[in-house]
Amino acid sequence: MQKSELFIESPFLPYCHRFRDGLKTLGVLEQIQNHPESFSPVMCYNPRPLTADQVDGLFHIRWSEEGSNQKREERTVVAFWRDYLQDVEEEDGSKKLGDILAFATGSDAVPPIGFSPQPSLEFLHPSGGAAKFPVANTCISCLRLPIYSTYDCFKTNMDFAIRNTQGFGMP
């Protein structure tokens, strides 16, 4: 077999050469080659297992007006949400946290450059029509949580919604 038979032409090859040439300019390429372990965390994406705090921190909460009855109800639901994430982490670990993230965003891991748009939490109040289960819009990474009065009801309905949406869009 000749060398030319092993070489596969790629449309990205010119960009790879330009990238390499750019790294050579300031001696960065040489440093990468001499100390690959130092550059690996910066140059290579390596997703870490999800934690409850990390998942919670990803979501921007869209609260109702301060002082309203709705805001009081939302605070209760956010406490349930945070307790739920902690329980999931303790019981099932990062795999189920990934399922929760996938339910809300379509991705079971945090992308290397983060989410755009940032995931958000909204609330489904009874005044807008009764809702029993959480609803997600993965196009805008929005998780809408109904108002629940007990944690058990919240947990049961979250588990049901997440369990019954796995594989969405898959044959």
Side-chain angles (χ1 to χ4, degrees):
M1 202 179 291
Q2 295 180 353
K3 184 179 178 183
S4 61
E5 293 176 37
L6 295 174
F7 183 75
I8 299 172
E9 188 64 36
S10 167
F12 300 107
L13 194 57
Y15 300 108
C16 293
H17 290 298
R18 287 177 33 195
F19 182 66
R20 187 187 66 219
D21 292 344
L23 290 174
K24 280 182 183 178
T25 303
L26 297 173
V28 175
L29 182 61
E30 182 182 341
Q31 292 300 317
I32 291 172
Q33 291 169 332
N34 291 337
H35 309 284
E37 68 284 346
S38 296
F39 287 89
S40 180
V42 177
M43 302 295 281
C44 301
Y45 178 61
N46 186 14
R48 293 187 174 89
L50 291 170
T51 65
D53 289 338
Q54 182 184 17
V55 172
D56 181 45
L58 291 171
F59 286 84
H60 168 72
I61 302 171
R62 297 192 178 158
W63 299 102
S64 291
E65 187 175 325
E66 189 64 47
S68 67
N69 289 339
Q70 288 185 335
K71 177 103 180 226
R72 184 177 39 80
E73 294 170 335
E74 292 167 0
R75 283 192 181 113
T76 301
V77 172
V78 168
F80 293 162
W81 162 253
R82 291 178 174 150
D83 288 345
Y84 179 72
L85 294 176
Q86 291 294 327
D87 288 350
V88 165
E89 181 178 39
E90 290 171 14
E91 295 167 12
D92 303 310
S94 66
K95 164 90 173 73
K96 188 164 179 189
L97 288 170
D99 293 343
I100 295 167
L101 191 60
F103 177 74
T105 68
S107 176
D108 63 355
V110 179
I113 60 170
F115 286 101
S116 181
Q118 178 184 6
S120 62
L121 277 180
E122 293 182 358
F123 305 92
L124 299 169
H125 290 275
S127 60
K132 182 175 181 175
F133 299 105
V135 176
N137 182 334
T138 57
C139 295
I140 60 170
S141 298
C142 180
L143 177 59
R144 293 179 179 96
L145 301 174
I147 300 300
Y148 297 103
S149 57
T150 67
Y151 176 71
D152 288 337
C153 187
F154 179 90
K155 183 178 183 343
T156 300
N157 291 329
M158 280 295 292
D159 285 341
F160 181 84
I162 292 165
R163 250 192 340 267
N164 287 288
T165 57
Q166 296 305 304
F168 171 74
M170 302 298 286

